[in-house]
Amino acid sequence: MNHIAAQRTEAQRNAVTELLRISPVADELAARFAKAGHRLYLVGGSVRDALLGRLSPDLDFTTDARPERIQKILSGWAEAVWDTGIEFGTVGAAKRGTQLEITTFRSDTYDRVGRNPEVSFGDTIEGDLVRRDFTVNAMAIELSTKTFVDPHDGLEALARRSLDTPATPQESFADDPLRMLRAARFVAQLDFTPAPRVVEAMRDMSAEIGRITAERVQAELSKLLLGVAPRRGIELMVDTGLADVVLPEVPGMRLAIDEHHQHKDVYQHSLTVLEQAIDLETRHEPASGPDLVLRLAALLHDIGKPATRKFEPGGGVSFHHHEVVGAKMARKRLRALRYSKDVVQDVSQLVYLHLRFHGYGKGEWTDSAVRRYVTDAGDLLTRLHKLVRADCTTRNKRKAAGLQRAYDDLEARIARIAEEEDLARVRPDLDGNEIMRILGLKPGPLVGKAWKHLKELRLDRGPLDHDEAVAELRAWAAEQGIEPPT
């Protein structure tokens, strides 16, 4: 038995072990389908993940039974059944914490204008598998006998971590251009390497991704960024031209020269910042998972540099206000990709704030400046700490150590002031009701102006005692021509 064959046998054995682990749900389901005269297969990503030893509680099945028949077989056994995908031949169900999707064999055709296929049902597992996206997802296990069906050598591709298509890549991507972005996602998520013919087809057909809705693109991009190696996925997108359509600001950074001259361009710097931000995600918070907001901010933090690049006399390069321009660009792109309002706001605010620390110098900031830094960051402060630290990519070890020491000092000052003054809830020393009572005002814009003035004082000087706050409020009122009651 050659090496590949031995690997294949061992992988099959491991997959069967995984399948036994999820029994009796799969076995019960297979028995119900067999009793009804139908075949049931575990298929696609579920088989791939079983072979990788990472089977999830969401399982995909395929069968020769038609959707209405599937519903009848599930009736009385599943704890819940839903038919939101029934027009595409899919019936969903839940059983003892396992989510199941059961789809009738498909032999779809595509008009190659939109993404949705003209659904037609097939009669064989082989016909179903050939229409799937990649060979590693074109394997099935017949559940009654636990035998493999692998007509496209997906098991061998999985052993080599190779990503290829069952049909030609041109046919596959013409049918569904989203598969190109899925290729980049699998590179980032599962550490696969795309076959040369897949990369070539992606380069030739990258513009076709424009046929896909923004919502579907965003879902794949998010999964890519949350993978174990998002840099590899982003690089594949940029190298093939996919990013020119999906996220053009990222390849656009290749036009800018980093002002410190430690990288070929700002694009490479941003990829390094992304990797370093990922490393910082769990360093102080081991229980936290991948942070989409932080990763988006790290990738996009310098996208304003090409638009603000200026060559200075003597050979220098500057990017004045690139954080302001970059925040606007990030907001526009993320909205176009249909990200939620919270994600758009948080990422753009981090891009806007990421440069603020560089005014800290050797600790010259006043306590007032520290308070404003914390207040402007708000709930994003922990992420801002990570982003700023990740943004240090200089190869000069002395300079890098100096920047980290400076940020250590800033964090220590934030902790000290927060403990003394409760920075998490910076409010004026007088509330709106007191302002109205002292100045004899009714609710309206003047109360808001007074409140804002007192908050600015609070940021500048720290907490005021009650008498000081009242005196400051009366002094402000006098400047505004407001005569408080005596």
Side-chain angles (χ1 to χ4, degrees), residues 10 20 32 52 54 65 94 106 118 124 130 147-148 163 190 212 227 258 281 315 354 435 473 481:
E10 181 63 23
L20 291 174
R32 291 181 71 88
L52 291 172
R54 57 193 294 273
R106 298 261 293 270
E118 296 177 11
T124 67
V130 75
T147 56
F148 278 76
L163 200 63
L190 299 172
I212 307 302
D258 185 84
E281 276 179 344
H354 84 273
I435 291 170
L473 176 63

Side-chain angles (χ1 to χ4, degrees), residues 7-78:
Q7 280 187 320
R8 185 191 301 269
T9 301
E10 181 63 23
Q12 290 173 338
R13 193 176 296 120
N14 291 340
V16 170
T17 300
E18 280 295 295
L19 288 170
L20 291 174
R21 183 175 68 81
I22 63 167
S23 293
V25 170
D27 284 343
E28 288 176 16
L29 190 60
R32 291 181 71 88
F33 273 79
K35 185 176 180 180
H38 295 286
R39 291 163 289 156
L40 185 71
Y41 298 79
L42 190 71
V43 73
S46 293
V47 176
R48 180 199 69 222
D49 290 344
L51 290 163
L52 291 172
R54 57 193 294 273
L55 194 63
S56 80
D58 300 335
L59 301 178
D60 295 325
F61 301 88
T62 189
T63 178
D64 58 332
R66 296 302 191 251
E68 295 77 12
R69 185 68 170 153
I70 296 172
Q71 289 177 310
K72 289 181 180 179
I73 294 171
L74 292 173
S75 178
W77 176 81

Side-chain angles (χ1 to χ4, degrees), residues 428-446:
D429 297 281
L430 302 174
D431 65 20
N433 289 326
E434 289 179 292
I435 291 170
M436 288 189 287
R437 179 179 57 79
I438 293 167
L439 299 184
L441 297 175
K442 294 181 179 180
L446 277 177

Side-chain angles (χ1 to χ4, degrees), residues 177-178 180-181 205-213 217 242 245-246:
L178 189 65
M180 292 185 285
L181 195 51
M205 303 176 68
S206 58
E208 292 293 305
I209 197 71
R211 288 163 40 194
I212 307 302
T213 64
V217 167
L242 272 180
V245 183
V246 172

Side-chain angles (χ1 to χ4, degrees), residues 87-384:
E87 64 178 310
F88 299 110
T90 299
V91 178
K95 181 74 170 181
R96 292 197 293 276
T98 300
Q99 301 291 316
L100 317 170
E101 281 200 351
I102 307 160
T103 303
T104 303
F105 292 158
R106 298 261 293 270
S107 57
D108 304 334
T109 58
Y110 291 78
D111 61 14
R112 300 190 175 181
V113 176
R115 178 178 184 271
N116 291 335
E118 296 177 11
V119 178
S120 57
F121 299 132
D123 298 309
T124 67
I125 184 63
E126 291 78 13
D128 179 89
L129 294 177
V130 75
R131 53 163 288 278
R132 293 181 178 264
D133 54 3
F134 300 106
T135 60
V136 293
N137 295 330
M139 297 177 284
I141 300 175
E142 204 286 319
L143 288 168
S144 295
T145 59
K146 301 290 194 300
T147 56
F148 278 76
V149 181
D150 183 18
H152 304 288
D153 296 323
L155 199 57
E156 184 176 336
L158 192 64
R160 292 186 285 107
R161 296 277 178 169
S162 176
L163 200 63
D164 206 346
T165 52
T168 67
Q170 289 78 8
E171 290 177 283
S172 182
F173 298 156
D175 281 347
D176 185 358
L178 189 65
R179 289 171 174 173
M180 292 185 285
L181 195 51
R182 283 172 60 84
R185 192 246 289 186
F186 286 133
V187 165
Q189 203 174 46
L190 299 172
D191 196 28
F192 286 174
T193 298
R197 70 173 192 160
V198 169
V199 176
E200 182 181 0
M202 289 171 70
R203 286 198 181 105
D204 292 342
M205 303 176 68
S206 58
E208 292 293 305
I209 197 71
R211 288 163 40 194
I212 307 302
T213 64
E215 290 83 359
R216 294 303 305 273
V217 167
Q218 181 245 99
E220 288 296 329
L221 179 62
S222 295
K223 291 175 184 177
L224 183 159
L225 287 169
L226 293 172
V228 295
R231 178 173 185 152
R232 288 193 61 209
I234 294 295
E235 287 176 332
L236 180 60
M237 287 178 62
V238 170
D239 292 345
T240 58
L242 272 180
D244 290 330
V245 183
V246 172
L247 205 59
E249 295 80 4
V250 171
M253 287 190 288
R254 291 180 298 181
L255 301 174
I257 301 169
D258 185 84
E259 69 268 39
H260 303 300
H261 304 291
Q262 73 263 34
H263 293 286
K264 293 179 180 178
D265 52 26
V266 176
Y267 164 67
Q268 292 293 334
H269 162 76
S270 297
L271 292 179
T272 301
V273 173
L274 172 61
E275 290 183 313
Q276 294 185 167
I278 292 169
D279 182 56
L280 290 169
E281 276 179 344
T282 57
R283 183 172 294 183
H284 304 297
E285 300 171 276
S288 66
D291 186 339
L292 180 63
V293 167
L294 177 63
R295 295 183 182 201
L296 279 167
L299 180 64
L300 302 178
H301 76 284
D302 273 348
I303 58 173
K305 280 190 171 180
T308 58
R309 180 176 58 170
K310 181 179 179 182
F311 296 103
E312 303 289 354
V317 182
S318 66
F319 303 95
H320 296 305
H321 306 301
H322 75 268
E323 76 282 10
V324 178
V325 173
K328 292 179 180 177
M329 292 171 65
R331 185 176 291 108
K332 182 178 180 181
R333 176 55 51 195
L334 295 177
R335 282 175 176 166
L337 287 169
R338 302 292 192 270
Y339 276 100
S340 71
K341 187 180 296 185
D342 287 344
V343 169
V344 173
Q345 177 58 31
D346 288 351
V347 173
S348 58
Q349 182 70 352
L350 284 170
V351 172
Y352 177 71
L353 292 174
H354 84 273
L355 209 59
R356 183 82 62 86
F357 162 71
H358 293 283
Y360 187 72
K362 297 181 180 179
E364 296 94 342
W365 275 8
T366 62
D367 282 358
S368 170
V370 175
R371 291 187 199 99
R372 290 180 184 279
Y373 187 78
V374 173
T375 302
D376 289 347
D379 294 339
L380 297 171
L381 183 61
T382 300
R383 284 173 168 142
L384 183 59

Side-chain angles (χ1 to χ4, degrees), residues 446-457:
L446 277 177
V447 178
K449 288 183 179 179
W451 189 93
K452 186 176 180 180
H453 172 72
L454 290 176
K455 181 177 179 180
E456 291 295 315
L457 284 178

